[in-house]
């Protein structure tokens, strides 16, 4: 899991390593200076043995201070407990980074020279141990090439050959115990979480993870929505896409349900299937509207400290609803496709299974796959999400993507078969020189095919998106290291975690919610619905009829061609509906076949 990595991440700070000799050290030629003092955050004021004289070499005090600040930030981030962040460790770190300085002057030497008093090795080790710094990250032994390079720390003493300065050749400097420094106040050092992390006291950060609190260390939680991944502005845009599209989709699917379910005077078999399919899409939109109505950000992130989990009702409800509806819709999509194929292949025949059996089976399948995750509290928002859905990958796979994959595969096969049948028909038609007939037939196929393809690619994208996100998890996790480093250095909002791009997240929200709108464009803007509406009570009363007539006459010129198809379709529709016995006529085989195909596809509009 991501959290483990957060706990064990490695951070890289480059310290100038002082690779020095075993006992005799060369004379570097540094200077003694007065400590410049902390600016802002308390670092070494009060923790230095002799702030009047510290050894400065090759780096300014400001530079060393920055390094030290980064080191402290990292320790605070990785190990903010008192056992690490305490005055003792501050004294050790300050003593290592700002060693006390001895100024040797005559009579001891003829030429004055400054030498550092190093911190004893065991204190360095103590600090690393208490801060649980892994031995693969930093070491107190000299000559290490580890990511964090610490200043040299002798075991007991170092010797200098001062003969060039007119002194003895075995001048010995003992190492120092920084913990002996008397600091004015040994009050606890406050650990603040680095922005955008939020401080939250906890006893058990692992248990709190199940409550939606994602601890980066033992005191700080990652904020929600994760601004380390995308800026607040981008998140708001993604949420807005979700809100707007689900609302429009909801209205669209409601209109479709109303048109086909209530206004429709003759509710045939295909209408019923279509209605169940639309109902599924309606449920998906409703889930989005549920989130939007509750406030998208509030639903996904109930507080900035945590993401929504299985105790947040709106989140659970929307997750359950979108899962159930998507399964329900795709099952009906597959059933519809199977019917289209059957209708084309076995000319004139219809599958005899009653719709209610389909309904029972689809209900059972959808419920079976959704009640289990509901019972096990799987519906959560998780980090960096725009919706509530299944939390664990295994549940995502077993209860959503496997059924989805099976349906999509079946759908693909059926689609290929349908296309093959169409191809065969078109070919045989064109050979019999009735080209216009086959073209009008093809026109009838455009919308159902478009619907199938759009549905297909929408769900294929959702499927691939989740797969890609899962497969790149390691990459995203690895970006935690540079992210923390950046935060420790004070990068704030410019520090970024890797994750799914804003575009792909936005497109995910788009795909999930747009479908009702697609469906509306494809299904509603058809001659069939126009007919239903025209004949409905709403347009067929003394109020509206004159207006309709006016529009009808003014537009009739422009839409003459589409009116043509309306009439042909009506006649076909009446034919097949009127009597099923017409199929028996073998001489009119092709025309009947075409009629039944038209019937299947057109009034299904699947
Ligand atoms: C002194 O600092 C420079 C860069 O500022 C660095 O390249 C060099 O290695 C340092 N010398 C020693 C002895 O640390
Ligand atoms: C310098 O020499 C004197 C006398 O030899 C000694 O008392 C003093 O401690 C020495 N100073 C240092 C800094 O070693
Ligand atoms: C000290 O340095 C001088 C001059 O560089 C050299 O002659 C002498 O041998 C050195 N002494 C030791 C103990 O290394
Ligand atoms: C330094 O060397 C002198 C003689 O060269 C010797 O008397 C003295 O004990 C040595 N001091 C240390 C600390 O090794
Ligand atoms: C922490 O644990 C103690 C006892 O183990 C308990 O009394 C206290 O309420 C807990 N605090 C929180 C914030 O959970």
């Amino acid at each position: 899991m991501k959290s483990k990595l957060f706990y064990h991440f490695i951070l890289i700070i480059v310290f100038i390593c002082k690779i020095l000799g075993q006992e005799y050290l060369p004379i570097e030629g540094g200077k003694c200076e007065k400590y410049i003092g902390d600016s802002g955050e308390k670092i070494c004021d009060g923790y230095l043995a002799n702030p009047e004289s510290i050894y400065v070499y090759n780096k300014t005090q400001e530079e060393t201070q920055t390094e030290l600040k980064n080191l402290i930030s990292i320790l605070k981030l990785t190990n903010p407990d008192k056992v690490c962040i305490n005055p003792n460790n501050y004294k050790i770190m300050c003593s290592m980074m700002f060693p006390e300085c001895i100024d040797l002057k005559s009579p001891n030497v003829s030429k004055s020279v400054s030498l550092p008093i190093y911190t004893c090795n065991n204190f360095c080790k103590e600090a690393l141990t208490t801060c649980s710094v892994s031995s693969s990250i930093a070491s107190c032994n000299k000559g290490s090439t580890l990511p964090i390079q610490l200043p040299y720390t002798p075991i007991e003493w170092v010797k200098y050959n001062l003969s060039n300065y007119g002194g003895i050749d075995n001048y010995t400097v003992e190492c120092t115990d920084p913990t002996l420094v008397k600091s004015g106040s040994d009050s606890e050092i406050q650990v603040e979480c680095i922005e955008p992390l939020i401080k939250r006291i906890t006893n058990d950060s692992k248990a709190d993870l199940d409550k939606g609190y994602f601890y980066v260390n033992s005191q700080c939680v990652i904020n929600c929505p994760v601004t380390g991944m995308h800026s607040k502005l981008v998140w708001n845009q993604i949420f807005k896409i979700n809100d707007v599209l689900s609302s429009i989709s909801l209205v669209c699917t409601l209109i479709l349900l109303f048109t086909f379910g209530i206004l429709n005077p003759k509710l045939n078999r295909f209408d019923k299937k279509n209605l169940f399919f639309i109902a599924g899409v309606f449920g998906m939109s409703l889930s989005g509207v549920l989130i939007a109505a509750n406030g998208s950000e509030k639903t996904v992130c109930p507080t900035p400290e945590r993401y929504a989990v299985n105790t947040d009702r709106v989140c659970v409800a929307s997750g359950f609803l979108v899962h159930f509806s998507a399964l329900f819709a795709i099952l009906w999509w597959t059933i519809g496709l199977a019917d289209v194929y059957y209708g084309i292949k076995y000319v004139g025949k219809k599958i005899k299974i009653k719709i209610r059996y389909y309904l029972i089976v689809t209900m059972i399948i959808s419920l079976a796959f959704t009640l289990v995750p509901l019972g096990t509290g799987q519906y959560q928002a998780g980090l960096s999400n725009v919706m509530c859905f299944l939390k664990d990958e295994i549940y995502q796979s077993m209860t959503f993507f496997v059924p989805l994959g099976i349906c999509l595969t079946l759908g693909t096969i059926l689609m290929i078969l349908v296309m093959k049948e169409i191809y065969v028909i078109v070919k045989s038609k064109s050979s019999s020189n009735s080209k216009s007939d086959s073209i009008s037939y093809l026109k009838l196929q455009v919308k159902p095919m478009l619907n199938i393809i759009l549905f297909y690619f929408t769900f294929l994208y959702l499927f691939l998106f989740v797969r890609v996100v899962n497969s790149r998890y390691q990459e995203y996790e690895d970006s935690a290291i540079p992210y923390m480093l950046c935060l420790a250095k004070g990068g704030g909002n410019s520090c970024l975690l890797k994750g799914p791009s804003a575009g792909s997240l936005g497109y995910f929200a788009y795909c999930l919610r747009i479908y009702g709108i697609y469906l509306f464009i494809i299904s509603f803007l058809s001659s069939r619905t126009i007919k239903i509406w025209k004949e409905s009570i709403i347009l067929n009363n003394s109020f509206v009829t004159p207006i309709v007539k006016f529009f009808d006459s003014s537009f009739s010129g422009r839409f003459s061609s589409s009116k043509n198809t309306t009439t042909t379709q009506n006649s076909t529709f009446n034919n097949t509906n009127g009597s099923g016995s017409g199929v028996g006529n073998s001489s009119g085989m092709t025309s009947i076949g075409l009629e039944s195909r038209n019937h299947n596809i057109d009034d299904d509009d699947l």
Side-chain angles (χ1 to χ4, degrees):
M1 272 305 295
K2 226 171 186 174
S3 56
K4 263 190 208 153
L5 200 109
F6 273 96
Y7 287 120
H8 299 296
F9 69 82
I10 306 159
L11 291 153
I12 303 151
I13 280 281
V14 178
F15 284 86
I16 300 300
C17 179
K18 296 169 179 167
I19 302 170
L20 303 164
Q22 194 66 30
E23 282 159 3
Y24 273 89
L25 296 184
I27 292 154
E28 291 167 328
K31 280 197 192 84
C32 292
E33 283 179 11
K34 188 174 186 284
Y35 179 58
I36 52 168
D38 304 338
S39 48
E41 185 196 353
K42 175 171 172 153
I43 319 172
C44 293
D45 273 345
Y47 293 143
L48 291 170
N50 182 9
E52 291 304 311
S53 173
I54 55 165
Y55 183 73
V56 177
Y57 168 67
N58 202 17
K59 250 183 285 181
T60 67
Q61 287 195 46
E62 283 85 354
E63 284 166 350
T64 312
Q65 229 170 28
T66 308
E67 275 181 17
L68 184 56
K69 272 183 187 167
N70 289 345
L71 177 66
I72 291 172
S73 294
I74 290 158
L75 291 178
K76 278 182 174 174
L77 211 53
T78 50
N79 203 340
D81 307 283
K82 275 178 218 152
V83 67
C84 170
I85 303 297
N86 56 36
N88 237 19
N89 279 347
Y90 264 64
K91 286 173 193 171
I92 295 167
M93 284 186 285
C94 287
S95 164
M96 285 170 70
M97 300 298 282
F98 294 109
E100 197 185 340
C101 183
I102 352 169
D103 231 348
L104 283 180
K105 290 195 175 83
S106 58
N108 306 57
V109 284
S110 55
K111 199 168 128 198
S112 73
V113 60
S114 301
L115 296 174
I117 304 177
Y118 289 120
T119 308
C120 296
N121 186 266
N122 59 321
F123 297 106
C124 172
K125 283 183 172 158
E126 184 190 313
L128 291 195
T129 309
T130 54
C131 288
S132 333
V133 177
S134 143
S135 60
S136 61
I137 296 167
S139 158
C140 297
N141 299 331
K142 58 181 173 290
S144 90
T145 51
L146 295 172
I148 295 181
Q149 304 249 302
L150 297 172
Y152 172 66
T153 50
I155 305 293
E156 276 182 73
W157 40 258
V158 290
K159 282 183 181 175
Y160 295 97
N161 181 354
L162 295 178
S163 43
N164 284 348
Y165 294 84
I168 51 173
D169 66 357
N170 58 0
Y171 187 80
T172 307
V173 183
E174 307 247 320
C175 69
T176 180
D177 174 358
T179 62
L180 294 178
V181 173
K182 283 267 182 293
S183 50
S185 68
D186 270 3
S187 62
E188 268 175 36
I189 297 155
Q190 282 291 313
V191 176
E192 294 304 326
C193 297
I194 300 165
E195 286 260 324
L197 305 176
I198 301 166
K199 185 162 181 165
R200 184 175 181 274
I201 307 299
T202 180
N203 278 349
D204 186 353
S205 58
K206 288 242 161 60
D208 279 358
L209 182 62
D210 293 335
K211 294 177 192 155
Y213 298 96
F214 197 107
Y215 278 89
V216 165
N217 56 39
S218 60
Q219 303 194 2
C220 309
V221 289
I222 202 153
N223 64 334
C224 185
V226 190
T227 48
M229 210 166 281
H230 303 297
S231 71
K232 193 86 185 200
L233 197 79
V234 171
W235 277 117
N236 285 342
Q237 281 169 348
I238 296 172
F239 287 136
K240 199 156 273 170
I241 290 175
N242 179 70
D243 295 355
V244 170
L245 287 183
S246 355
S247 307
I248 300 176
S249 269
L250 188 84
V251 173
C252 286
T253 44
L254 265 180
I255 293 174
L256 287 177
L257 285 176
F258 181 72
T259 306
F260 291 114
I262 294 172
L263 288 188
N264 192 358
K266 272 182 196 161
L267 200 64
N268 63 34
R269 184 179 170 82
F270 297 98
D271 284 336
K272 283 178 191 162
K273 281 189 198 154
N274 205 9
L275 275 174
F276 287 122
F277 174 67
I278 297 169
V281 180
F282 170 77
M284 288 165 67
S285 317
L286 186 64
S287 141
V289 170
L290 214 58
I291 292 179
N294 193 47
S296 278
E297 188 177 327
K298 208 179 130 233
T299 309
V300 176
C301 305
T303 71
E305 296 170 358
R306 71 180 185 97
Y307 56 80
V309 289
N310 51 9
T311 49
D312 298 288
R313 286 182 189 177
V314 178
C315 178
V316 173
S318 69
F320 177 82
L321 193 59
V322 77
H323 187 191
F324 178 87
S325 312
L327 285 176
F328 192 72
I330 196 149
L331 284 170
W332 281 102
W333 177 77
T334 315
I335 290 171
L337 205 50
D339 258 18
V340 169
Y341 173 68
Y342 195 86
I344 292 182
K345 179 78 183 173
Y346 304 101
V347 179
K349 283 188 193 167
K350 281 188 213 163
I351 301 175
K352 291 264 159 57
I353 306 165
K354 285 213 166 76
I355 293 280
R356 75 175 75 111
Y357 295 132
Y358 278 140
L359 184 62
I360 290 167
V361 171
T362 50
M363 274 289 184
I364 288 174
I365 294 176
S366 308
L367 277 177
F369 281 124
T370 46
L371 285 179
V372 174
L374 186 68
T376 51
Q378 276 292 314
Y379 295 111
Q380 308 199 355
L383 271 188
S384 78
N385 219 337
V386 287
M387 59 182 284
C388 295
F389 199 57
L390 300 164
K391 183 180 150 235
D392 293 339
E393 204 183 333
I394 180 84
Y395 276 94
Q396 286 176 3
S397 302
M398 296 317 292
T399 67
F400 188 62
F401 287 120
V402 165
L404 180 70
I406 291 171
C407 287
L408 282 186
T409 310
L410 261 176
T412 313
I413 294 167
L414 286 168
M415 211 160 88
I416 291 167
L417 288 175
V418 166
M419 283 181 170
K420 199 188 117 211
E421 292 299 324
I422 290 171
Y423 179 75
V424 168
I425 290 159
V426 169
K427 235 189 153 187
S428 70
K429 279 278 155 186
S430 55
S431 65
S432 66
N433 273 340
S434 54
K435 225 171 184 173
S436 63
D437 212 16
S438 62
I439 285 168
S440 75
Y441 176 71
L442 266 185
K443 269 187 189 162
L444 287 176
Q445 307 297 336
V446 167
K447 274 198 211 162
M449 278 299 157
L450 196 65
N451 190 10
I452 289 164
I453 290 165
L454 280 176
F455 192 81
Y456 185 84
F457 282 110
T458 303
F459 274 89
L460 197 66
Y461 178 77
L462 298 184
F463 178 78
L464 290 179
F465 176 78
V466 176
R467 292 288 101 185
V468 167
V469 166
N470 283 338
S471 69
R472 290 215 186 131
Y473 223 78
Q474 193 57 46
E475 193 185 315
Y476 300 153
E477 279 186 4
D478 291 347
S479 78
I481 299 158
Y483 176 63
M484 291 302 187
L485 178 68
C486 175
L487 281 186
K489 280 184 174 169
N493 284 337
S494 66
C495 302
L496 286 182
L497 271 167
K498 265 193 195 163
S501 71
S504 68
L505 261 180
Y507 193 61
F508 181 78
Y510 173 86
C511 276
L512 201 66
R513 311 298 185 195
I514 189 72
Y515 197 72
I517 301 171
Y518 282 167
L519 200 61
F520 181 81
I521 293 168
I522 292 165
S523 293
F524 192 77
L525 305 178
S526 74
S527 48
R528 178 86 198 286
T529 39
I530 291 168
K531 186 169 162 280
I532 290 175
W533 276 87
K534 260 190 185 169
E535 289 170 2
S536 73
I537 188 83
I538 294 176
L539 295 186
N540 231 352
N541 55 42
S542 50
F543 260 140
V544 192
T545 310
I547 304 167
V548 173
K549 275 207 175 124
F550 167 77
F551 276 107
D552 222 27
S553 57
S554 55
F555 281 104
S556 59
R558 260 179 255 175
F559 286 125
S560 57
S561 60
S562 75
K563 274 207 139 187
N564 258 344
T565 44
T566 310
T567 48
T568 38
Q569 279 165 16
N570 284 347
S571 63
T572 5
F573 187 70
N574 290 339
N575 251 346
T576 33
N577 257 359
S579 64
S581 60
V583 186
N585 190 348
S586 61
S587 62
M589 198 60 199
T590 40
S591 68
I592 290 164
L594 185 59
E595 277 165 13
S596 85
R597 263 170 237 127
N598 286 353
H599 165 78
N600 277 358
I601 291 156
D602 180 52
D603 61 34
D604 193 4
D605 242 1
L606 178 108

